[in-house]
Amino acid sequence: MSKVKKPQQRWVCQACGAVSSGWYGKCPACDAWNSIEEEVAAPSPGERPAGPGKVVASTEAQTIVDRQPRRPCGLQEIDRVLGGGLVPGSVVLLGGPPGIGKSTLLLQASVGLARRNGVVLYASGEESVAQVASRCGRLGASHPGLLLMAETRLEEILSTAQERAKTLAALIVDSVQTVHSGAQDGLPGNISQIRAVTSALVGFAKTHGVPVVVVGHVTKDGQLAGPRLLEHLVDAVLSFEGDEERAIRMLRATKNRYGSTQELGVFEMRGDGLREITNPSEAFITDRDSPAIGSCITASLEGSRPLLLEVQALLAAAFGNPRRTCVGVDPVRLAMLLAVLDRHAGVFALDQDVFVNVVGGMRLGEPASDLAVLLAVASSHRRQPLPPGLCVFGEVGLTGELRPAPRTDARLSEAARLGMKRVLLPTGPKQHALSARKLKEQLDVEVRLARTVGEALDLAFS
């Protein structure tokens, strides 16, 4: 008889998943303390017992995908971020700070799923059934297909879900830090418990083809709590962001195996729940009777959606080293634009404190917003407002030249739809000139083209 090999032991960091040769008080990879635990190593592929494996051709696999379409949530903003809805068998991790509205968002999405796709099981480990039902009544989210369950034991949640697996449209667990498995030692929220619970939920989703949505807490620095392995186990990671002092909430995807991670969903928090904002540009632009100094409107792209955003700049006398304070703008990019203004436009602002803010808590990460930041700083330096109804976008180079932004047609159409009367953009290839001429013929919009930063300043303030 051949000897049966004993399972090998290994030491794994519960924070980052790094494998070491022995126990350390401090992980050599991520510097986490007391996070290394002993585990049984999985057998190598050659040591695993032979078993039947089903091989499917890619053409046949496509027919399987066609038979299992996405399941829309009923909220267009969520479906947009997910890529069209929940994919059967997928696992989605939703994170956000406490009190931002994660449970409210999931309850409203659960009702939409129940109305369109079948039964939805909502398992809450933080609230009782009466508390969740009270919120459903306030949100108008009651439905016979929405089943509520207050349970922290993973085995009970999976047992209930398996009984209804054939008619189950989705399983929602709120939250993963409160659920524990009897097969794993430790208290709920322990790193080992979080990984064990998530792995079991992923196995249930893949086996029964039921989408699973898991709520995760975030740490003080805004990162998802638990091991980094948690984000690798799931198929999509959504982040629900917002300022507690403002009613605007934004849903982003930091990971999505079935869609783009560039899409953005915008909501407004009200007393009766979250309301979708189908036209976010109007929410991010300040309605003024007269133009303001240091303000400039730009057309940005969030995935496939063009947005008009307002960039504000303020210059003040510096006492000591000049400060560069940015909210929503890269400070390194701002420093570059100030140098370009000084060298190629004759606007010297390097010795002043510069404050730049994007209204609404948005972030401008694409280079197409360079021209708007530059003109906002120039407006504050000159103490002269830009003309009303002006929208600008374009990338600024270190030599002072302007480069066109991608998808100019979509940006121009959004600017014209919101009543912008003048658009300033870089001179580019022939298709840009043709788009500008076509838009001018169809809509009452004046399009001005500039090659350099100096030309852009002259055209903007003329």
Side-chain angles (χ1 to χ4, degrees):
M1 296 178 62
S2 60
K3 296 183 179 180
V4 179
K5 292 184 178 181
K6 295 182 179 180
Q8 298 180 357
Q9 302 293 325
R10 63 177 185 173
W11 299 89
V12 181
C13 176
Q14 304 301 308
C16 65
V19 181
S20 57
S21 57
W23 184 87
Y24 294 92
K26 182 179 179 180
C27 176
C30 66
D31 296 334
W33 288 94
N34 299 323
S35 62
I36 297 180
E37 296 182 3
E38 187 178 11
E39 294 183 355
V40 178
S44 61
E47 298 173 350
R48 291 179 182 142
K54 184 178 180 181
V55 179
V56 182
S58 59
T59 53
E60 183 181 350
Q62 185 60 40
T63 60
I64 298 176
V65 173
D66 296 337
R67 290 196 302 266
Q68 297 179 346
R70 292 177 181 262
R71 300 175 182 178
C73 302
L75 297 177
Q76 296 181 359
E77 297 299 302
I78 299 181
D79 294 336
R80 175 195 296 273
V81 176
L82 289 173
L86 289 172
V87 176
S90 64
V91 181
V92 179
L93 176 62
L94 174 64
I100 199 67
K102 300 184 296 294
S103 300
T104 301
L105 179 69
L106 288 180
L107 280 177
Q108 294 184 224
S110 299
V111 173
L113 283 167
R115 290 172 179 170
R116 292 168 174 79
N117 302 281
V119 178
V120 176
L121 178 61
Y122 189 98
S124 176
E126 300 180 347
E127 298 176 299
S128 64
V129 173
Q131 291 174 320
V132 179
S134 176
R135 182 184 290 114
C136 290
R138 179 174 59 87
L139 301 176
S142 299
H143 190 272
L146 176 58
L147 306 181
L148 305 179
M149 181 182 185
E151 185 59 66
T152 59
R153 293 172 297 175
L154 175 66
E155 289 75 14
E156 294 295 330
I157 296 175
L158 292 181
S159 176
T160 306
Q162 289 172 358
E163 294 176 359
R164 300 170 172 82
K166 293 184 179 180
T167 60
L168 200 61
L171 169 62
I172 298 177
V173 180
D174 184 8
S175 64
V176 68
Q177 276 83 5
T178 61
V179 179
H180 64 92
S181 172
Q184 185 70 36
D185 296 332
L187 297 174
N190 187 306
I191 294 177
S192 301
Q193 282 285 358
I194 293 177
R195 186 173 59 177
V197 169
T198 306
S199 300
L201 291 174
V202 171
F204 168 79
K206 305 304 180 184
T207 303
H208 296 86
V210 176
V212 176
V213 181
V214 182
V215 178
H217 294 168
V218 297
T219 58
K220 292 182 179 180
D221 57 353
Q223 301 296 324
L224 282 167
R228 300 296 298 180
L229 182 64
L230 183 63
E231 300 181 35
H232 296 286
L233 289 175
V234 300
D235 300 308
V237 180
L238 305 184
S239 176
F240 202 41
E241 309 168 354
D243 192 347
E244 294 182 358
E245 299 178 356
R246 300 176 182 174
I248 300 297
R249 302 287 188 268
M250 289 168 287
L251 183 67
R252 302 176 184 271
T254 58
K255 173 187 177 180
N256 192 356
R257 290 174 177 169
Y258 308 110
S260 172
T261 58
Q262 303 298 323
E263 297 293 346
L264 173 70
V266 185
F267 301 86
E268 180 184 5
M269 177 62 77
R270 292 186 172 185
D272 57 350
L274 291 165
R275 182 182 69 89
E276 296 180 279
I277 299 180
T278 56
N279 189 10
S281 298
E282 295 180 351
F284 296 129
I285 297 180
T286 306
D287 188 11
R288 298 190 181 94
D289 296 332
S290 59
I293 296 176
S295 175
C296 184
I297 305 297
T298 184
S300 176
L301 280 180
E302 292 289 342
S304 61
R305 166 183 286 180
L307 296 178
L308 293 192
L309 301 176
E310 180 180 356
V311 181
Q312 297 178 345
L314 176 64
L315 274 63
F319 298 94
N321 294 328
R323 292 182 297 171
R324 307 288 182 256
T325 304
C326 302
V327 179
V329 178
D330 185 8
V332 178
R333 198 83 181 173
L334 174 62
M336 183 199 74
L337 295 176
L338 292 177
V340 172
L341 268 177
D342 174 40
R343 179 60 60 90
H344 300 287
V347 179
F348 184 72
L350 296 175
D351 60 342
Q352 302 184 42
D353 291 338
V354 181
F355 306 89
V356 178
N357 175 49
V358 181
V359 176
M362 295 293 294
R363 296 192 301 266
L364 288 175
E366 59 171 353
S369 61
D370 289 349
L371 187 56
V373 176
L374 186 143
L375 290 179
V377 172
S379 173
S380 181
H381 184 271
R382 292 187 175 190
R383 298 187 179 181
Q384 177 184 356
L386 292 167
L390 173 66
C391 178
V392 304
F393 55 88
E395 181 182 355
V396 177
L398 291 179
T399 58
E401 86 281 2
L402 300 181
R403 299 176 181 176
R407 295 191 61 194
T408 302
D409 293 344
R411 302 175 196 257
L412 290 175
S413 300
E414 181 69 8
R417 188 180 66 84
L418 290 181
M420 296 290 114
K421 299 300 181 182
R422 182 185 302 177
V423 178
L424 176 61
L425 64 153
T427 302
K430 293 183 178 179
Q431 58 265 28
H432 292 274
L434 293 176
S435 300
R437 189 181 303 112
K438 182 179 179 181
L439 184 67
K440 184 174 180 58
E441 294 175 355
Q442 296 178 352
L443 303 170
D444 186 17
V445 176
E446 180 185 359
V447 179
R448 295 188 175 185
L449 304 176
R451 295 182 180 275
T452 63
V453 171
E455 292 182 11
L457 289 176
D458 295 337
L459 292 175
F461 289 98
S462 62

